[in-house]
Amino acid sequence: MNFYKKDDVLQSILKDVLDQETFAWADRELTEFGELCGGEFDERAAYTDRDGQPKLLKYDKYGNDQSFIWLNEGYRKTVEETYNRGIVGYLYKDIPTLGKKGNYVYSFAQGYLLSQTEPGFYCPVTLTMAAAYLIDNYASQNLKVKYMPHLASTGETELFEGATFLTERQGGSDVGANETKAVLEADGTYRLYGEKYFASNAGACGVATVLARTEGAPEGTKGLSLFLVPWRKEGGSLNGLSVRRLKDKLGVRAVPSAEVEFNGAEAYLIGEKEQGFYYMMEALNLSRICNAVASVGIMRRAYTEAVSYAAERDAFGQKIINYPMVQDSLVRMAVKLEAETVSVFELARIYDEWCEGREIPSEEKDGLLRMLIALLKSETAEQAIHFAHEAIEMHGGNGYIEDFVTPRLLRDAQVLTVWEGTANILGLEVLRLIKKYNMDDLFLQLMEKEIAALSFYDKAMIECADQALVLLKNEFAELKLMNEFEKTRNIKELQKKMVTLFESVLLLKRAENGDEKREITATIYIKDKLLPNLGEQKQSWSLEEGLKILGIKEPVKR
Ligand SMILES: Cc1cc2nc3c(=O)[nH]c(=O)nc-3n(C[C@H](O)[C@H](O)[C@H](O)COP(=O)(O)OP(=O)(O)OC[C@H]3O[C@@H](n4cnc5c(N)ncnc54)[C@H](O)[C@@H]3O)c2cc1C
């Protein structure tokens, strides 16, 4: 199956966001890539997960520590074929046939297709993207010249994948507890000592970006500096580091996640000393968008599998897709999937804009971007798990069996709530943005403006969005009166309401072109998700209408 060609929603989003020339090029490229993702890559992903997982070959035949990470051939082919299509490279250099750089929207479209195959393939790409971001924005000219061509390679030079190492044994959320030391030698080079406890892409990366504390630096996040650490020295030997062991993981088994020890690794300071945490937080925001992209990828795959199984499976003399309960589940999935896909690509569009205007600092733009990232990262990660569960349910017993992709979807989805900040940590981020920059006001103003501009044919739906906005305003006013303890208890519930309003408005806007399917999607979303927030009974929506989204005019008969 071609994952791109089957996806009208993705195609329509790209058509809206990309200029005509770029869309025509992207459409061709993604058609090829979608075929690979739904075909060869998918077969390799199943093999990698079951039989071809990365292996640590710790010692060579003489007993020397070589910390070699073995990756199966298919995996390595997928890596090469993916990077050669510019998933990272075209963010930094011209697309030859177009004579201009690509953008994140295009890169995320690739990431979304790749994640439908295996988020464990996409994870290293996102790490490379984050490392490239940090080096391009903050490293010295010398480091940039030396490493950026490798990080942005599309085949013309050796590819260096990236990695970002923050987490230590004593804490991932509490990055300020980091203990890894950076010691300045007499010759002016830094050497790292310490360990990183969750280090994804270890051994597969050419360079890692690592947080460490220089001697005499203050405690906490303020004392952290960022370093570029090549995995190997010029001659090919390990750069004063070793892999202690690979993690035996529930999912995303394609990516090697390791415990890494630094025993004097040569390291190069990126940017200013003791600014490392702030640089890393910027890269983390990018990684959080990648996480949301991977989440919608899993949602899409779960939905695809659920629909096709329902159309094939017989029970009690009929295809199960004929049963109203099955139809109801599929329609709800289709509606939420569209809402989430549209939202994540809107975020990607905003991110591209933000990157272009980066030189002109704006607290408002930074804050709003961070807020949307925190909201959508949390929501999509949760939904990925929910969708994987729904797909298993739709398959019955088969859904639980590893011959089908469904168990892997659930195992892989589960990491998405943890990676790049847990739901609680993102809740704290939202509270911080409210406290420091009154970002709730800005969010509400944005929604107010968008709702006022809506021209959806059914005014009752716009009225619902308006009412939800009023309620949200009141709830924020109440939140501000609470003490810190109560605020943290309540913020996640409020976040959900913000997401629902944001997604409702986007869907209403998207349906203004009069497309029937889009109108039905927006209407069902509002009746199903927004009305309960208004304290109203769930208004039932017509299943007959919903089936039009699935492309089913009448129930399928045997
Ligand atoms: C497969 C995998 C790969 C990974 N790869 C990398 C990598 O490449 N690089 C890297 O740096 N890290 C990596 N990580 C680590 C990951 O980023 C951390 O696991 C994550 O940030 C959570 O940190 P933790 O595991 O220490 O959990 P903890 O921080 O101990 O959190 C445990 C629980 O406590 C909650 N909690 C913590 N503080 C608060 C608070 N103040 N208020 C409320 N609740 C709180 C959390 O939400 C969570 O539910 C990886 C993890 C996994 C599973």
Side-chain angles (χ1 to χ4, degrees), residues 164 166-167 171-173 198-200 249 257 418-419 422 424-425 428:
T164 55
L166 299 80
T167 308
S173 311
F198 279 99
S200 289
K249 295 177 294 190
S257 301
V418 175
W419 265 348
T422 61
N424 288 0
I425 294 306
L428 292 177

Side-chain angles (χ1 to χ4, degrees), residues 111 185 317 440:
E185 302 282 318
D440 51 329

Side-chain angles (χ1 to χ4, degrees), residues 383-415:
Q383 288 299 325
I385 298 170
H386 173 65
F387 267 59
H389 155 79
E390 287 281 354
I392 290 177
E393 187 72 18
M394 192 63 72
H395 284 65
N398 277 340
Y400 200 65
I401 302 303
E402 296 278 355
D403 292 344
F404 291 79
V405 71
T406 36
R408 176 153 61 86
L409 292 179
L410 185 61
R411 290 190 281 105
D412 287 352
Q414 196 65 52
V415 83

